[in-house]
Amino acid sequence: MEIIKKSLKLYGLCIVGSILCLVLTATFNMIGANLLGKQIGYSMQGEFEDKENSAVILYSHYYDDGEDLEKAKFEEKGYTLTEIPIKIPTTAWNIFAQFCLFCMMGIFVYNELWKLGFKDNNLVRIGKKTEDKLKGLKIGLITTTPSILLFAILIIGRTTYAAKVATTTFSFLNPYIERLIYIFVGYKGGYISQLSVGAVITIFGALLFIPLVAMVAYLLGYKSIIVSEKLIYKKK
């Protein structure tokens, strides 16, 4: 029962962490695309010279789609056209952003489980609890179970209703792996059913990030090991 309660508490913390990850993702996307991104196409804005406030986005064109066949059509209709660049973050930037997202979520999980491990060690010493060094892993797995089950259902149901579930939907529910999913899917988006076997295995592995951090944090707390002190101080 205690593990269930701790899992629910950690799940609540992960929700808070997910909200912050969404904000962080939006910030990284804006910086990565506008300042450090590469142009992949453009949105064509058109307006009539004899009309005020007539500027509208007519269409979007991507370079990998080939030649822009729409431009001449709108020029013939009398539009004055202006290209507005469409940019996306580079792969290197997405990898860096994903690392930061892992760190953001990891902080919430690590702090909670380290404190729990430290507390349990004291209770075990005085005989009020039984030692369970896998407790952190169990809590992490239970916390992540909803995401793992959802992903499994979407993969198993590739040929049914799940075939048209967009990857953006799944990444919105699990924003701490949003950039990883984007790397596999690309800027045009896609569906879960379109993911390759390698992508499925990698994303599933990424979902185990929370259980892994929970396990390590609990064990370090149980042994009263403070990582920051190990990095700063050295034994004589």
Side-chain angles (χ1 to χ4, degrees):
M1 182 59 69
E2 183 197 7
I3 290 179
I4 298 296
K5 290 181 179 179
K6 295 299 182 182
S7 298
L8 291 174
K9 182 179 180 181
L10 181 60
Y11 188 79
L13 289 174
C14 287
I15 291 177
V16 176
S18 294
I19 294 173
L20 293 177
C21 282
L22 284 172
V23 176
L24 192 62
T25 296
T27 303
F28 274 123
N29 288 348
M30 181 179 65
I31 296 174
N34 296 330
L35 299 181
L36 304 172
K38 61 180 180 180
Q39 186 172 342
I40 58 170
Y42 51 82
S43 292
M44 190 64 78
Q45 178 180 282
E47 62 180 327
F48 285 107
E49 294 182 0
D50 57 344
K51 292 183 179 180
E52 294 183 0
N53 302 321
S54 63
V56 293
I57 299 297
L58 301 173
Y59 65 93
S60 295
H61 175 74
Y62 299 96
Y63 295 141
D64 58 6
D65 289 336
E67 184 182 355
D68 184 359
L69 302 176
E70 298 292 321
K71 185 175 182 179
K73 296 179 182 179
F74 284 102
E75 287 177 336
E76 290 176 0
K77 293 179 181 179
Y79 281 95
T80 300
L81 303 177
T82 304
E83 294 182 6
I84 301 176
I86 298 176
K87 294 182 177 182
I88 60 170
T90 62
T91 300
W93 180 260
N94 284 327
I95 293 173
F96 170 73
Q98 182 57 63
F99 173 76
C100 293
L101 290 173
F102 275 144
C103 290
M104 173 66 76
M105 183 61 74
I107 289 173
F108 286 87
V109 178
Y110 185 90
N111 289 340
E112 181 65 19
L113 269 296
W114 193 96
K115 289 186 290 186
L116 179 62
F118 183 80
K119 179 181 177 182
D120 281 357
N121 178 266
N122 292 327
L123 293 175
V124 169
R125 285 183 178 181
I126 61 177
K128 288 191 174 183
K129 267 192 178 181
T130 303
E131 183 179 76
D132 183 5
K133 292 185 177 181
L134 293 178
K135 188 174 183 179
L137 178 62
K138 294 174 183 177
I139 292 173
L141 286 173
I142 294 174
T143 301
T144 317
T145 295
S147 296
I148 294 176
L149 285 178
L150 175 60
F151 190 61
I153 291 171
L154 294 178
I155 294 302
I156 295 172
R158 281 182 175 214
T159 58
T160 60
Y161 64 91
K164 293 300 180 182
V165 175
T167 51
T168 51
T169 303
F170 185 76
S171 63
F172 178 79
L173 296 174
N174 301 276
Y176 70 98
I177 59 172
E178 190 271 343
R179 286 291 88 187
L180 178 65
I181 295 175
Y182 178 87
I183 290 172
F184 286 115
V185 177
Y187 62 89
K188 290 185 178 180
Y191 300 102
I192 297 293
S193 58
Q194 297 172 331
L195 290 173
S196 65
V197 175
V200 170
I201 294 173
T202 304
I203 292 173
F204 180 79
L207 289 174
L208 298 178
F209 171 76
I210 289 177
L212 179 61
V213 174
M215 178 183 69
V216 173
Y218 182 83
L219 290 175
L220 290 176
Y222 194 84
K223 295 179 180 180
S224 302
I225 297 175
I226 302 175
V227 176
S228 59
E229 288 187 356
K230 295 292 183 181
L231 295 175
I232 296 173
Y233 301 107
K234 294 194 302 183
K235 293 182 179 179
K236 292 183 180 180

